[in-house]
Amino acid sequence: MAKAPEPILFLTCGGTIDKVNFATELNDQVGDPQIKVILANSRLSVPYEIESVFAKDSNRVDEADLEALRTGITNASVRRIVVTYGTDRMVEAARSVGNTAGKTVVFTGAMIPYRFRDSEAVFNIGSAVLAAQFLDPGVYIVMHGRVFDPKETRKNMGISMFEE
């Protein structure tokens, strides 16, 4: 008999996944966390909670925001955490987490807002949920069907993909 899955904590930080439009520097409105809708529509059978840490474009995140994220991870009572974050600064944020004290922390997001038809948000969230359940403790980035080590990863802005 399979054991029950461990609960997952979703920490939301805004980013493109939650945007209400395609961003420009003058118009980068981040809306409500879309993870609530995504998980409800996905019929996720893993126990979970959602906490909003902040709701910003990742280019506007400051050190106080990162500290709030690190505190949320440190204070989490669960070992499995998925962080939704803006892709422009996801690598830097993942690197800033530091020691996870036995927790598995998976960063994910989307290049296209969830509200848009061609968004890969649902796929990335599903991949992150699965990865969070099976990866060893540490910090990871899960985007477009791949798992990345933040120390060896960058976002290629020219093709809007992550690469080693």
Side-chain angles (χ1 to χ4, degrees), residues 8-71:
I8 297 175
L9 172 62
F10 292 87
L11 297 176
T12 67
C13 299
T16 298
I17 196 169
D18 293 337
K19 288 197 175 170
V20 296
N21 53 23
F22 270 116
T24 66
E25 283 192 37
L26 299 175
N27 189 3
D28 63 354
Q29 184 180 359
V30 175
D32 292 332
Q34 295 302 296
I35 191 75
K36 296 173 186 176
V37 176
I38 293 169
L39 296 177
N41 290 341
S42 299
R43 298 185 202 130
L44 182 63
S45 64
V46 175
Y48 67 89
E49 291 184 26
I50 302 169
E51 292 179 17
S52 181
V53 181
F54 52 84
K56 292 184 174 182
D57 180 291
S58 63
N59 290 309
R60 300 186 188 279
V61 171
D62 59 26
E63 186 54 40
D65 297 321
L66 289 174
E67 184 57 35
L69 176 58
R70 288 188 292 266
T71 298

Side-chain angles (χ1 to χ4, degrees), residues 78-100:
V78 300
R79 296 182 321 137
R80 310 292 177 176
I81 300 168
V82 172
V83 178
T84 59
Y85 203 91
T87 60
D88 284 349
R89 298 285 178 255
M90 185 181 290
V91 172
E92 293 87 343
R95 288 177 182 166
S96 80
V97 168
N99 184 354
T100 63

